[in-house]
Amino acid sequence: MPRPQLVVLSGAGISAESGIPTFRDADGLWEGHDIMEVASPQGWNANPELVLEFYNQRRKAALEASPNTGHKILASLEQYFEVTVITQNVDNLHESAGSTRVIHLHGELFKSRSTIDSSLVYPIDGWELKLGDLCKKGSQLRPHIVWFGEEVPMMEQATIICNSADILVVVGTSLIVYPAAGLLNFVNSQIPKYVINPNMPQIDPMPNLHLIHKGAGEGLTELKEILVKN
Ligand code: NAD
């Protein structure tokens, strides 16, 4: 018998317990910056040095962080389910915890890409990407991040995976950033859906919706007991 497909939609809240701040919890600024300054094509065109430095600092923080209980529980669920984690996070803590199928909707901190050819993507060793770091065609490299106003190339794959979900877990996301938040509408309405958040977002009523008003570590510990018992 095929194992059930468990699809996880995760957001910045799951990494908060590893010491990486979310930004909506801190009055709409991301580490003191207006998000459009550091996470939009306009911000990049206006001041690429500031944008590179911003992501260098995020990379440094991610290198110092370790996966927490929440990340580890999701990795351990692979013993029982076909787990796919669709994350809005740009850190690599799901992978560090051992999750093997992770889709990064909003890009990855530890990759760069060419500003003239988006198919040229490179790993970043360490924390620094600088002005003057070039792709093989000679153009500046930028962070491999989906900025506000840009297309989300992994969205199509994510909708297909949501469509085949037998169980959905939504953890640590405010469900404010679209199109990621819309993924909830792609799952079969009858499957069990668990939402874990200490500060529960507004969600329209739907069948089989279970709200767990807890932080990621505690909430996922509770969820694993429910899922693995059944
Ligand atoms: P978000 O919209 O996903 O909101 C954060 C959510 O986490 C809130 O609903 C909050 O109530 C919840 N939360 C806070 N502490 C929690 C905990 N301990 N356990 C579970 N949930 C908790 O995320 P955002 O901060 O608004 O960021 C949106 C985008 O910004 C992301 O999608 C990402 O692209 C980028 N971002 C990434 C990171 C990262 O990679 N770790 C961090 C900050 C921002």
Side-chain angles (χ1 to χ4, degrees):
M1 238 208 21
R3 301 190 313 164
Q5 299 279 346
L6 189 151
V7 176
V8 180
L9 180 58
S10 77
I14 193 169
S15 293
E17 291 172 19
S18 292
I20 299 181
T22 64
F23 75 84
R24 285 214 168 59
D25 291 329
D27 64 21
L29 295 179
W30 193 356
E31 303 278 344
H33 293 276
D34 179 327
I35 51 163
M36 295 308 279
E37 242 176 44
V38 293
S40 73
Q42 296 88 325
W44 170 254
N45 290 332
N47 193 344
E49 209 160 4
L50 172 76
V51 174
L52 288 172
E53 178 54 19
F54 175 78
Y55 285 100
N56 286 345
Q57 293 306 322
R58 305 286 71 72
R59 223 171 275 119
K60 247 187 187 171
L63 281 171
E64 283 161 14
S66 305
N68 62 55
T69 305
H71 297 109
K72 289 177 192 164
I73 288 179
L74 289 179
S76 75
L77 288 174
E78 292 192 11
Q79 290 168 44
Y80 309 94
F81 303 98
E82 290 299 312
V83 181
T84 306
V85 179
I86 301 172
T87 187
Q88 297 166 83
N89 295 345
V90 295
D91 64 51
N92 57 356
L93 294 176
H94 284 299
E95 289 91 339
S96 304
S99 283
T100 58
R101 280 176 300 277
V102 183
I103 293 177
H104 285 272
L105 277 182
H106 293 166
E108 295 177 66
L109 266 182
F110 291 98
K111 289 183 180 167
S112 66
R113 77 164 179 269
S114 164
T115 41
I116 54 161
D117 180 348
S118 59
S119 72
L120 296 176
V121 176
Y122 302 92
I124 298 177
D125 276 335
W127 61 276
E128 210 176 9
L129 184 64
K130 301 189 293 291
L131 273 187
D133 288 344
L134 306 178
C135 73
K136 71 173 186 191
K137 293 185 176 172
S139 84
Q140 176 64 42
L141 291 173
R142 57 164 274 183
H144 185 49
I145 301 287
V146 176
W147 286 327
F148 285 94
E150 293 188 315
E151 274 188 33
V152 183
M154 299 306 285
M155 198 56 196
E156 194 182 337
Q157 198 187 336
T159 56
I160 292 168
I161 287 164
C162 284
N163 215 275
S164 67
D166 298 306
I167 302 168
L168 179 74
V169 178
V170 179
V171 55
T173 172
S174 57
L175 294 173
I176 286 175
V177 180
Y178 275 81
L183 284 172
L184 222 60
N185 302 322
F186 284 90
V187 299
N188 178 321
S189 62
Q190 298 306 315
I191 67 165
K193 293 166 280 295
Y194 299 89
V195 183
I196 300 170
N197 198 313
N199 200 353
M200 197 53 75
Q202 194 71 37
I203 303 175
D204 292 337
M206 53 182 91
N208 282 324
L209 179 65
H210 308 275
L211 304 180
I212 301 179
H213 294 254
K214 291 189 172 158
E218 210 186 332
L220 283 164
T221 304
E222 185 175 314
L223 179 68
K224 184 173 177 180
E225 276 169 24
I226 297 168
L227 293 179
V228 172
K229 237 186 256 161
N230 289 333

